[in-house]
Amino acid sequence: MRRSQAIRVRAHAKINISLRVLGRRPDGYHDLWTVFQSIALHDTIFVAPHDGPMEVTATDPAVPTGDANIVWRAAHAVWRASKRRGRPQGVHVHIVKRIPAGGGLGGGSSDAVATMRALDAWWRLGLDRPALGKIACGLGADVPYFLHGGTGLGLARGDLIVPLPDLAPEWLVLVMPPFTVSTAAAFQWFDSRRPARPAAARIALSVPGAAGLINDLEPVVASRHPDIARITRVLLRSGATAAAMTGSGSTVFGLFRTRAAAQRAADRLAGRGSAALVSRFVGRSAFLRASRPARVRSLPRSGRIG
Ligand code: C5P
């Protein structure tokens, strides 16, 4: 591979088909039983040569470019794993952002894994699955899922992944209200809710289908943000076979049998400050194909620097 070329990796978003909170852990996190599903909506990560210390840029000016950005932290972790000293050098990481931040769609976490894969290829490190897994676990609880994609059961902090057979493909509408929800706050709201329910006793240990969507964080988030419950109702009235909040919100999704039905619902729900878009489940093999670093001639125009 010539060094003048760039590398491109896709970073697909996820939804949580179900998210059950089993209880608090001594480390302050919560034990979860959650089913992740990757979807077609994606960011794209590019890496290209650059003189001097690593540069991180993004198409969305709201995305931080320093250590507040998980991509930046992922790049540093890969650099350290390569046993190099100091700060990452000689590379420009550019994020083409489409997944809204703070929406429960895992955009930052997926970008982090795509960056790990891109830099592993760029620096020719050959990091194996356990090494990538270790870095992913250190970056955030829902980061390791993005090493797998498809349908996956998340246990422990959500970071212990059991790949499941892909759910049948579904169309979905994502509705993004004009506010974000902090994940830490959503879990705190859950802890302070009354009455406390012994969640573990109610978990059905069956392989999930899309029919029984339950998100334990949804009632506590919806009680602070009534828009969540309103959007869920409108999705169901618009023909969704099921609808729920993803992760800690604020995005709400509805499942639809056809693309046309999904598009009609999206048209109905866009507005009032909410954005709505149609997407589709992506199975594990398509996800992993898209995660493979691909050589491209250069960064997209928007990513040029200097
Ligand atoms: O790991 P991540 O930084 O994405 O998590 C953000 C916050 O969400 C954590 O600091 C924690 O407060 C909460 N969290 C939790 N239990 C989990 C995942 C996240 O309490 N399983």
Side-chain angles (χ1 to χ4, degrees), residues 28-32 139-142 156-158 183-184 187:
Y29 275 78
H30 292 74
D31 277 317
L32 303 182
L139 291 169
D142 68 357
R157 300 186 315 157
T183 303
F187 278 102

Side-chain angles (χ1 to χ4, degrees), residues 219-253:
V220 294
V221 174
S223 72
R224 272 109 182 147
H225 294 289
D227 251 3
I228 301 283
R230 180 188 65 81
I231 293 166
T232 308
R233 277 197 306 275
V234 178
L235 280 166
L236 291 170
R237 274 210 302 272
S238 306
T241 52
M245 191 179 81
T246 174
S248 56
S250 60
T251 301
V252 177
F253 65 92

Side-chain angles (χ1 to χ4, degrees), residues 12 16 31 87 89 94 111 126 130 136 146 168 171 181 183 203 210 277 286:
H12 281 283
N16 297 83
D31 277 317
R87 294 164 159 261
Q89 299 286 328
H94 179 63
D111 291 351
F146 291 98
W171 291 98
V181 177
T183 303
I203 306 294
L277 58 85

Side-chain angles (χ1 to χ4, degrees), residues 21 23-25 27-32 70 73 109 137 139-143 155-159 182-188 191 248:
V21 183
R24 270 191 87 172
R25 299 158 50 102
D27 61 6
Y29 275 78
H30 292 74
D31 277 317
L32 303 182
I70 192 169
R73 296 201 301 277
S109 301
C137 275
L139 291 169
D142 68 357
V143 179
L155 301 171
R157 300 186 315 157
D159 52 357
S182 138
T183 303
F187 278 102
Q188 272 165 24
D191 289 336
S248 56

